[in-house]
Amino acid sequence: MEPKIILLLSGKRKSGKDYIAEKLHNSLEDKAEILRISEPIKSHYARYLNLNLDELLSSNSYKETYRQEMIIWSDEVRKKDPGYFCNIACSKGNYTYIWIFSDIRRKTDIHWFHANYPDKIKTVRIFANQDVRIARGWVYTEGVDNVTSECDLDDWNDWDLQVNNNDEESLKNSIDKILNLLI
Ligand SMILES: Nc1ncnc2c1ncn2[C@@H]1O[C@H](COP(=O)(O)OP(=O)(O)OP(=O)(O)O)[C@@H](O)[C@H]1O
């Protein structure tokens, strides 16, 4: 069974995509579940290189060490099949009312969702000021911040909603707006 709504969250690194996804999940409880395109990317990459998946899924230096190479590897896979990882990520979804994807990074991802789940897609771009992202641990990294996976959606203008996540007040405002979008 398919969900009724698929929410696609996008934003620069440390804009708070996962944080907002968790807050939405807390509000929506069992009506929603969080899915990530990065999970099949990481699990397939870990298998490919015989790495420790738990470490790769966590947010520590192990992940940073492999991030660049994983981006290059996943781009090669995408060249052959742009929907490869989206397809696997969706196959992990249960029948819940809303699927929240917390890591949309590419135009090809958005096109794939629109093509495969017409009329179910809601897209949200999350913004946070650079000083806020730095305070959250963002460090500019060549090969990560200047490549397609981070920049492809910078010039996408077709969001259903654009929200800020700089502080408590903007967060609350943004959560309210996203929940309204899902009604
Ligand atoms: N509104 C907020 N208030 C307090 N802390 C926040 C807020 N938003 C995000 N954070 C914190 O900032 C850090 C980065 O947030 P998060 O992991 O959600 O970003 P992200 O956009 O998913 O990053 P990445 O793309 O690197 O995975 C986390 O430690 C998170 O707890």
Side-chain angles (χ1 to χ4, degrees):
M1 292 266 275
E2 291 185 357
K4 294 274 183 255
I5 299 174
I6 301 179
L7 177 65
L8 305 182
L9 299 180
S10 161
K12 304 297 278 182
R13 294 208 292 143
K14 308 297 175 212
S15 59
K17 300 179 291 296
D18 276 316
Y19 195 81
I20 285 188
E22 288 294 342
K23 293 276 175 196
L24 292 168
H25 194 211
N26 290 344
S27 294
L28 295 162
E29 297 180 336
D30 57 4
K31 286 198 278 300
E33 69 183 306
I34 299 174
L35 296 167
R36 293 185 180 87
I37 293 177
S38 59
E39 276 177 9
I41 295 178
K42 287 171 185 164
S43 62
H44 282 224
Y45 186 67
R47 216 178 309 141
Y48 171 68
L49 284 186
N50 208 13
L51 298 172
N52 180 329
L53 179 61
D54 290 339
E55 291 281 351
L56 203 61
L57 289 175
S58 77
S59 200
N60 58 20
S61 58
Y62 195 93
K63 169 172 155 183
E64 297 305 328
T65 310
Y66 287 102
R67 198 195 276 257
Q68 274 172 273
E69 287 177 27
M70 195 166 67
I71 290 170
I72 294 167
W73 171 83
S74 72
D75 276 342
E76 285 301 313
V77 176
R78 276 195 185 86
K79 262 189 218 157
K80 289 177 205 142
D81 179 0
Y84 185 80
F85 297 114
C86 296
N87 209 357
I88 301 173
C90 287
S91 73
K92 309 279 179 208
N94 297 302
Y95 178 68
T96 38
Y97 190 73
I98 300 169
W99 288 351
I100 304 170
F101 275 90
S102 65
D103 59 352
I104 297 301
R105 297 182 175 277
R106 292 153 189 279
K107 294 183 180 93
T108 52
D109 293 344
I110 298 182
H111 289 311
W112 185 89
F113 276 100
H114 277 300
N116 286 276
Y117 296 95
D119 307 325
K120 296 192 173 185
I121 308 304
K122 302 283 182 191
T123 57
V124 175
R125 179 74 165 178
I126 299 165
F127 293 93
N129 295 337
Q130 187 161 308
D131 57 325
V132 174
R133 292 171 57 216
I134 289 170
R136 291 175 186 160
W138 176 66
V139 179
Y140 178 83
T141 310
E142 282 287 319
V144 173
D145 287 295
N146 61 333
V147 300
T148 308
S149 59
E150 183 65 6
C151 304
D152 195 35
L153 290 171
D154 289 357
D155 63 353
W156 181 265
N157 288 317
D158 202 14
W159 304 106
D160 289 308
L161 188 62
Q162 302 185 50
V163 297
N164 292 314
N165 176 33
N166 288 310
D167 49 28
E168 270 304 307
E169 198 187 336
S170 58
L171 171 71
K172 189 184 171 306
N173 209 341
S174 299
I175 297 289
D176 289 347
K177 283 184 186 164
I178 298 172
L179 290 173
N180 267 330
L181 181 72
L182 302 176
I183 291 171

